[in-house]
Amino acid sequence: MKKLWKTLSFITIVTLLLSACSSSDGETKAVSSDVKGFEETTIRLAYNLPADHHVAIGIEQFAKDVMEKSGGAIKMQVYPSGQLLTDKEMNQSILTGGVEMGVNSSTLWASTVPVMGVFDVPYVFNDYEKTGEALNGEFGDKLRTAMEDKGAKVLMFADYGFAQFANNKRPLKSPEDFKGLKIRSIGDIPSEMIKAYGASPVFMGGGEVYMALQRNTVDGATSGTTAMVQRKYDEVTKYLTINNYAYLEFILAVNKKFWDDLPVETQNLLTETAQETEKWIRDKAKSEDEKTAKELEDRGMEVYKVPEEDLEEWKEAAKPAWDAFLNNTGEAGNELLDLVQ
C-alpha cells in the first residue's frame, strides 16, 4: 500500500509538472502573440543613394521603425549606397526576387513600366504639395497598378526633389546654350529633352558622374541639387541652372510575390510605416532643395535661376520629350498627364 501511494504521488507530481509546463508554454505564446503578432521574417532592402541624402535617411528610419514595431520579428537587412546592387541592377533584382525590397528612381523604372516616365516629362510638375496630392489620389493609384502588373508593389513614393543642370562650360540661360554639350542623362525622356536642346545625352549611374565630369567625358549633368552637394559637383562643375524641369521620385518597391505571401499583419505594419516615412521625406524635399542650392552657390558655383516668364520657351523646346513619352505610353500616358495638369 505504501509502495502504491508513492507511485501515485510520483505520477501526480509528474502530471502537475507537465500541466504547469504546458500552461507556461501556452501563456508565453499568448503573450508573445499579444506583444508582437508577427511571424518572423527577414527582408533585404537595397538602395544606391548617398547615406546622408534625405531619402536615404528616411529609408534607414523606416527599416528601424519596422523592426522596433514588430518587436524584432521582422528583420530588415539594409544594404546602402550600392553595397549590394547598383541602380542599373536594382529593378531586375526586385522583379526576380533577388532582393525583397529596393529603392530606385522612377526614371529607371520607366524602361520596364513606361508610365513611370511621367515624372520626367519636362515641366509637368512645379509644386511640391500638389505632387503629393496627386500621388495620394487617382494619379498615384494608376502608377501603383502599373507597377503591380509587372510584379512589383509600390510601398512608398519618396520625393527626391526637382532636377537641375550643372556644367563646366558656360551658363545655361536658354535652351540654345545647350548646343554642342555632352550632358549626363538619367533616362530616356530626359535624354530626349537634352537632344531637343541641342546637346548629346550620355547615360550613366550617379556614382560615375564625378569622375566623368573630372575627366571631361561629359561637360555637364542633370540631377537634384541634393545629390550634387553630396557627390561634390561643385569641385568639377562651375555653373548651375535652376529650371525645375522634372520632379524626381524614388520608389520603395517590393517583389509582388513576396508581398502576397506575407501575413496581413506584416503587410499592414509595412504599409503604415511606409506612409509615415513618405510624409517625412515629402516634407523634407523642399527645404533640402533650397538648402543645397544655396550650399552649391556658397561653394563657388555660379547659379542661374530661370525666370518664371521664360519657362514657356524651355517647355516649348522640350516638346519632343513629351512626344516620346506619349508614344511610349499611349492613352495611359495621356490620362496621367490630364490628371496632373
Side-chain angles (χ1 to χ4, degrees):
M1 188 62 143
K2 191 173 182 181
K3 185 175 182 181
L4 177 60
W5 172 249
K6 287 183 178 178
T7 302
L8 288 172
S9 297
F10 176 75
I11 292 172
T12 301
I13 292 168
V14 170
T15 302
L16 288 170
L17 286 171
L18 288 174
S19 176
C21 288
S22 175
S23 174
S24 176
D25 286 349
E27 287 173 5
T28 300
K29 288 177 181 175
V31 170
S32 176
S33 177
D34 289 342
V35 174
K36 300 177 184 177
F38 303 100
E39 289 183 14
E40 289 197 1
T41 187
T42 299
I43 301 175
R44 292 166 297 171
L45 192 168
Y47 67 86
N48 199 45
L49 290 162
D52 52 353
H53 193 280
H54 71 275
V55 171
I57 293 169
I59 294 299
E60 291 284 351
Q61 188 61 50
F62 163 79
K64 290 176 184 175
D65 289 346
V66 167
M67 289 191 285
E68 183 178 324
K69 290 178 182 180
S70 69
I74 304 173
K75 295 177 175 60
M76 302 292 296
Q77 294 181 351
V78 182
Y79 299 90
S81 307
Q83 287 179 8
L84 185 63
L85 297 163
T86 67
D87 46 10
K88 295 177 185 177
E89 300 165 337
M90 185 72 69
N91 296 349
Q92 188 62 22
S93 186
I94 294 169
L95 292 174
T96 59
V99 67
E100 289 78 34
M101 276 187 196
V103 182
N104 212 6
S105 70
S106 57
T107 303
L108 290 175
W109 272 110
S111 60
T112 304
V113 184
V115 291
M116 294 305 292
V118 68
F119 297 102
D120 296 324
V121 180
Y123 312 103
V124 168
F125 298 96
N126 56 20
D127 185 274
Y128 296 87
E129 289 76 19
K130 288 182 180 177
T131 303
E133 291 172 8
L135 286 169
N136 289 329
E138 185 181 357
F139 173 81
D141 290 341
K142 286 182 178 292
L143 294 176
R144 292 181 187 91
T145 299
M147 287 283 285
E148 289 192 19
D149 288 345
K150 292 294 185 179
K153 176 179 175 57
V154 175
L155 198 56
M156 181 198 310
F157 282 102
D159 291 18
Y160 185 95
F162 281 104
Q164 320 297 353
F165 284 98
N167 86 100
N168 53 26
K169 291 294 184 182
R170 54 182 174 267
L172 304 177
K173 295 187 176 182
S174 76
E176 293 286 320
D177 294 324
F178 282 74
K179 287 185 177 178
L181 298 181
K182 292 175 291 182
I183 304 287
R184 176 258 178 163
S185 178
I186 53 178
D188 294 339
I189 303 300
S191 292
E192 292 298 325
M193 183 187 72
I194 289 167
K195 286 190 287 186
Y197 286 171
S200 300
V202 180
F203 179 75
M204 62 181 65
E208 305 170 73
V209 181
Y210 182 94
M211 192 163 290
L213 288 164
Q214 188 179 49
R215 295 178 175 179
N216 295 318
T217 304
V218 293
D219 302 308
T222 180
S223 187
T225 53
T226 50
M228 290 181 185
V229 165
Q230 284 139 4
R231 299 193 189 278
K232 300 181 179 179
Y233 277 31
D234 57 287
E235 295 180 354
V236 285
T237 59
K238 183 177 180 182
Y239 306 101
L240 171 64
T241 296
I242 304 288
N243 65 344
N244 292 354
Y245 79 87
Y247 193 70
L248 304 179
E249 286 289 343
F250 272 64
I251 297 164
L252 174 58
V254 190
N255 175 273
K256 184 66 166 55
K257 184 179 183 306
F258 173 79
W259 176 264
D260 290 342
D261 289 340
L262 288 173
V264 173
E265 293 82 3
T266 300
Q267 291 180 346
N268 289 341
L269 174 63
L270 291 168
T271 299
E272 290 166 7
T273 308
Q275 289 172 348
E276 294 167 3
T277 307
E278 182 176 273
K279 184 181 184 308
W280 183 87
I281 291 174
R282 183 159 295 138
D283 290 344
K284 292 289 288 184
K286 182 176 182 179
S287 61
E288 288 295 308
D289 272 356
E290 292 172 349
K291 183 181 79 173
T292 51
K294 179 67 167 57
E295 190 168 345
L296 290 169
E297 185 173 22
D298 291 344
R299 291 183 183 184
M301 290 189 74
E302 183 179 312
V303 179
Y304 177 74
K305 184 173 182 179
V306 178
E308 191 170 342
E309 60 269 22
D310 291 351
L311 284 175
E312 190 58 38
E313 175 193 357
W314 291 70
K315 182 176 179 179
E316 183 62 31
K319 190 175 181 300
W322 284 63
D323 295 339
F325 174 72
L326 292 173
N327 287 338
N328 288 339
T329 59
E331 185 57 32
N334 259 316
E335 289 177 3
L336 287 172
L337 290 177
D338 287 342
L339 285 170
V340 293
Q341 288 189 87

